[in-house]
Amino acid sequence: MNVQRRTLLRAIGAAGVTLTATGYATASDGRAEYVVTANGARARDRLVDAGFEVFREVADGAILGVRGPADAQSDIEGVPGVKAVSRDVTVDFETPVRADADDVPESGPLQWDNRRIEADRAHDIATGAGTSVAIVDTGIDFDHPDLGNVNEDLGVTFVPEGAEANDGGEDSAVRGHGTSVAGVAGGTGANRIVGVAPETELIPIRVFPDAGGARFVDIFAGIDYAASVGADVANFSLGVPGVLPPQANEGGIRSGIQTVFQSAVRRGTVVTASAGNAGGNLQQGGGFSLPNSVPAAFSVSATGPNDKLVFYSNYGTNEIDVAAPGGGYETEEKTFATDTPFPAPTNLIFTTAPVDAGTYTYIAGTSFSAPQVAGLAALVRELAPESNPQQVEQEIASGAELVNGKSDPELGAGRINALNTVRNLDG
């Protein structure tokens, strides 16, 4: 397969969802859109009485999407019952670079990630049967041969009014990220890709339109919906871009993520989240990234075939819960070398892509380490269906390997091992 180094760099940067803030969210009539965290049931009515439009309610009204003038933040803050507010922003990423199906070899070390965490051996004990994993992303391709376990009836799309997007959570070739994430978590292996939980049910939740970015109020609605339909796991391979400065920690976006994630966890849904691809130290200088800096998120950094933290993954003590394969090596140069045991592009993650965009792809990023953990959480829920999210996370951390303790700045409790985890529960 002939893929140039520049192409692979772009693939990692784009497909890894190092999201870029593309601007403030604005209604079609030009009004500004705000994310409001409410403290009390009457905040909505008070905002309406103050002349604002409340166009979306999330988590039983704990988060509100509000429209008003562009200079209205202080006025909204002054409404009784408003806990936090900030302008909503849109985030977007480039269309991933994918390999054509004809260029993908029929044999070779394709799913090294599955074998590295011993998911193939774990499937003798658990496969995710009777569980569900929600993919909060760009949707899932309903026609993919390895994704026949999609629950189309539960699929849903949250996008701005008037934006173009498939209904019911279906992905499109112009996006594709969610389809790739879904294959890692729950590919059935009917044709080529075996996910960590091949018999789980995949719930497609689309929060990106075909063109333009996703609003955070829609992302919040997607997470909330996953919990409302009883998903065992909600995978969130999206987030605020980069390593943010401490002062950004005060706004409504951080408050909204924390509120929605905690609400989902209280209702029994494990939320797995990618650590981000800025290669940043989240421990030093007070910087943070979202959502992995929120306690309710089970944050996942990315490793390569040699179990080292890859060059793009964020890290930091008390910020990373566990690690999982995300593709690439610890340096950019090694990732694109041709003399390693897994030469480029085979050290990336081989997974599903929309049928109209090649069907399969090599791809990389913490976006693809998080669904490894989501699939493992489904295996845990199959074996221990009454376990709460904290217990699921504890089982995954206990089965992880390579480090002592749970606070390694790069790997948290360690790189996950599916076989260890299910054996601990099955013994």
Side-chain angles (χ1 to χ4, degrees), residues 20-114:
T20 300
T22 54
Y24 288 123
T26 305
S28 58
D29 60 5
R31 285 180 296 164
E33 295 183 338
Y34 298 86
V35 173
V36 174
T37 304
N39 185 13
R42 296 190 60 191
R44 179 194 182 282
D45 293 338
R46 288 168 175 161
L47 284 164
V48 172
D49 290 343
F52 298 101
E53 178 191 357
V54 177
F55 67 92
R56 191 181 295 287
E57 297 182 48
V58 180
D60 294 327
I63 301 295
L64 303 171
V66 175
R67 292 190 178 115
D71 57 354
Q73 181 163 335
S74 61
D75 292 333
I76 295 174
E77 290 173 339
V79 173
V82 170
K83 181 180 177 181
V85 58
S86 68
R87 284 290 302 269
D88 198 357
V89 297
T90 57
V91 289
D92 205 355
F93 51 92
E94 296 179 40
T95 301
V97 176
R98 305 184 184 92
D100 292 335
D102 292 341
D103 291 334
V104 174
E106 291 296 329
S107 61
L110 299 181
Q111 285 193 267
W112 60 265
D113 53 313
N114 201 288

Side-chain angles (χ1 to χ4, degrees), residues 67-338:
R67 292 190 178 115
D71 57 354
Q73 181 163 335
S74 61
D75 292 333
I76 295 174
E77 290 173 339
V79 173
V82 170
K83 181 180 177 181
V85 58
S86 68
R87 284 290 302 269
D88 198 357
V89 297
T90 57
V91 289
D92 205 355
F93 51 92
E94 296 179 40
T95 301
V97 176
R98 305 184 184 92
D100 292 335
D102 292 341
D103 291 334
V104 174
E106 291 296 329
S107 61
L110 299 181
Q111 285 193 267
W112 60 265
D113 53 313
N114 201 288
R115 295 190 301 276
R116 181 65 66 193
I117 67 171
E118 298 192 273
D120 51 342
R121 299 178 64 191
H123 293 159
D124 292 334
I125 299 173
T127 57
T131 70
S132 58
V133 176
I135 305 297
V136 183
D137 213 293
T138 66
I140 302 175
D141 185 349
F142 294 170
D143 297 322
H144 199 285
D146 288 315
L147 298 175
N149 51 344
V150 173
N151 187 328
E152 298 181 28
D153 292 335
L154 289 181
V156 67
T157 296
F158 296 103
V159 296
E161 298 87 338
E164 293 187 5
N166 291 327
D167 292 331
E170 186 173 12
D171 204 353
S172 63
V174 298
R175 286 300 189 181
H177 185 267
T179 298
S180 296
V181 167
V184 173
T188 65
N191 191 44
R192 302 195 69 177
I193 297 299
V194 180
V196 179
E199 293 191 23
T200 194
E201 177 182 85
L202 296 171
I203 301 174
I205 301 175
R206 179 168 179 166
V207 295
F208 279 87
D210 284 343
R215 301 179 299 188
F216 268 94
V217 71
D218 293 327
I219 292 172
F220 296 160
I223 293 289
D224 181 62
Y225 176 80
S228 73
V229 298
D232 289 289
V233 192
N235 185 78
F236 186 80
S237 287
L238 312 167
V240 175
V243 178
L244 305 178
Q247 57 268 29
N249 199 19
E250 303 300 325
I253 298 296
R254 164 68 186 251
S255 177
I257 289 177
Q258 184 163 326
T259 298
V260 172
F261 278 35
Q262 288 176 338
S263 174
V265 168
R266 281 196 302 270
R267 286 177 280 172
T269 298
V270 178
V271 182
T272 52
S274 54
N277 303 325
N281 185 344
L282 304 176
Q283 182 181 3
Q284 301 298 325
F288 73 102
S289 70
L290 297 176
N292 51 283
S293 292
V294 171
F298 198 46
S299 179
V300 187
S301 61
T303 55
N306 60 356
D307 285 330
K308 303 290 187 182
L309 189 78
V310 293
F311 70 91
Y312 54 79
S313 181
N314 286 345
Y315 59 96
T317 302
N318 300 321
E319 297 286 343
I320 304 300
D321 292 300
V322 292
Y329 282 110
E330 61 270 29
T331 68
E332 182 181 311
E333 291 74 18
K334 189 173 181 179
T335 298
F336 301 107
T338 58

